[in-house]
Amino acid sequence: MTTDRTQDGKGSDVHGIFQKIAGYYDRMNFVMTLGRHEKWCREVAARVAPARGGQLLDLATGTGVIALEAARRYPTVTVTGADFSAEMLRRAKAKPGADAVRWQHADATDLPFEDESFDGITEGYLLRNVADLPAVLREQHRVLKPGGRVVILETCPPSGLVEPVVKWGMRVIVPLLGQVVARDRKSYTYLESSTRAFETPQSIAVVLRGLGFRDIGWRKKFFGTNVILWATKAN
């Protein structure tokens, strides 16, 4: 989640949702993934593998799960956690180990960093919430050093034999969990619908390749509803 990522209605609406759900964001991620979310975040941090003494950017840092794991895993690396939600950042800063991360309010469509500033970029659930996905990935390509890797945790539209069952579960259960756990059915109805409507990993790979990334791969998670993608900026 990274100030308004866009200046249009969607950017404003999404910003409002993430400001609102910050207090129960970690709890809902745990419940919706049956406890798998933190494991996926650890895998994202492990896959980015920035150079020793380098710079790592965690976009859509939210409550800082990936950024904090990266700071623990790579003690010689400077980790910057960036998000558009001041409330998310406030909660990230209150977590144990938060002093090891540089927290920054930032717009994913117009990053406040110089070209080729980072040895690696991670992100969690950013792309489905932006109006211009190629523009956001273009910004990441700009600030990433040649040979640096981007690792993305995202939702994924289900497919295959389980697709009807999974879609039904997402449509019914996710908003219900939002009502029961967070007392906020509306926000999680949006999050469920954005998951079902989002791009496939193959589509994101096409955009990454067109921007100059190589060695692109992905691994689906949790009945195909989440995915970890990775790519390397060409030298």
Side-chain angles (χ1 to χ4, degrees):
M1 296 159 291
T2 60
T3 249
D4 282 332
R5 274 175 266 194
T6 64
Q7 299 302 315
D8 62 6
K10 179 175 181 178
S12 178
D13 290 346
V14 171
H15 179 263
I17 287 172
F18 284 107
Q19 286 281 94
K20 184 179 179 182
I21 69 175
Y24 43 83
Y25 185 69
D26 289 340
R27 189 185 323 139
M28 279 296 295
N29 279 341
F30 180 88
V31 171
M32 289 191 302
T33 66
L34 301 181
R36 292 169 170 83
H37 178 254
E38 287 199 7
K39 181 180 179 181
W40 300 339
C41 290
R42 290 195 295 271
E43 182 177 339
V44 169
R47 284 187 177 276
V48 72
R52 182 176 177 81
Q55 299 277 339
L56 175 65
L57 174 63
D58 181 44
L59 277 174
T61 196
T63 56
V65 179
I66 295 174
L68 291 167
E69 173 61 26
R72 287 190 291 268
R73 184 177 289 268
Y74 308 112
T76 70
V77 170
T78 300
V79 178
T80 299
D83 203 282
F84 72 162
S85 168
E87 183 60 21
M88 286 285 190
L89 289 173
R90 186 183 72 81
R91 292 181 179 275
K93 292 175 184 178
K95 289 187 172 182
D99 289 347
V101 178
R102 295 180 178 179
W103 306 103
Q104 183 156 350
H105 199 249
D107 181 346
T109 65
D110 186 18
L111 294 173
F113 308 113
E114 299 294 327
D115 295 357
E116 300 181 2
S117 297
F118 295 97
D119 300 272
I121 297 175
T122 55
E123 63 189 71
Y125 306 123
L126 166 65
L127 299 180
R128 69 173 180 175
N129 293 308
V130 300
D132 192 340
L133 183 150
V136 168
L137 290 175
R138 190 176 301 114
E139 269 293 270
Q140 293 177 40
H141 186 272
R142 179 183 67 79
V143 302
L144 188 62
K145 294 178 182 179
R149 176 175 278 194
V150 58
V151 185
I152 300 165
L153 173 61
E154 258 303 345
T155 54
C156 182
S159 60
L161 295 176
V162 300
E163 179 180 358
V165 175
V166 173
K167 282 188 173 181
W168 175 86
M170 292 170 62
R171 188 170 59 251
V172 174
I173 294 174
V174 171
L176 179 61
L177 287 173
Q179 177 65 40
V180 172
V181 176
R183 302 184 186 279
D184 185 357
R185 186 181 189 94
K186 183 178 179 181
S187 294
Y188 281 89
T189 298
Y190 159 75
L191 294 173
E192 172 272 328
S193 63
S194 67
T195 295
R196 289 190 292 112
F198 190 54
E199 303 287 347
T200 64
Q202 291 88 341
S203 297
I204 299 173
V206 169
V207 177
L208 289 167
R209 193 170 295 112
L211 291 172
F213 286 96
R214 57 176 175 78
D215 300 332
I216 301 167
W218 62 84
R219 178 178 292 178
K220 291 185 178 182
K221 307 287 185 179
F222 203 50
F223 306 107
T225 59
N226 285 255
V227 63
I228 295 176
L229 303 98
W230 55 88
T232 302
K233 181 175 177 176
N235 289 309

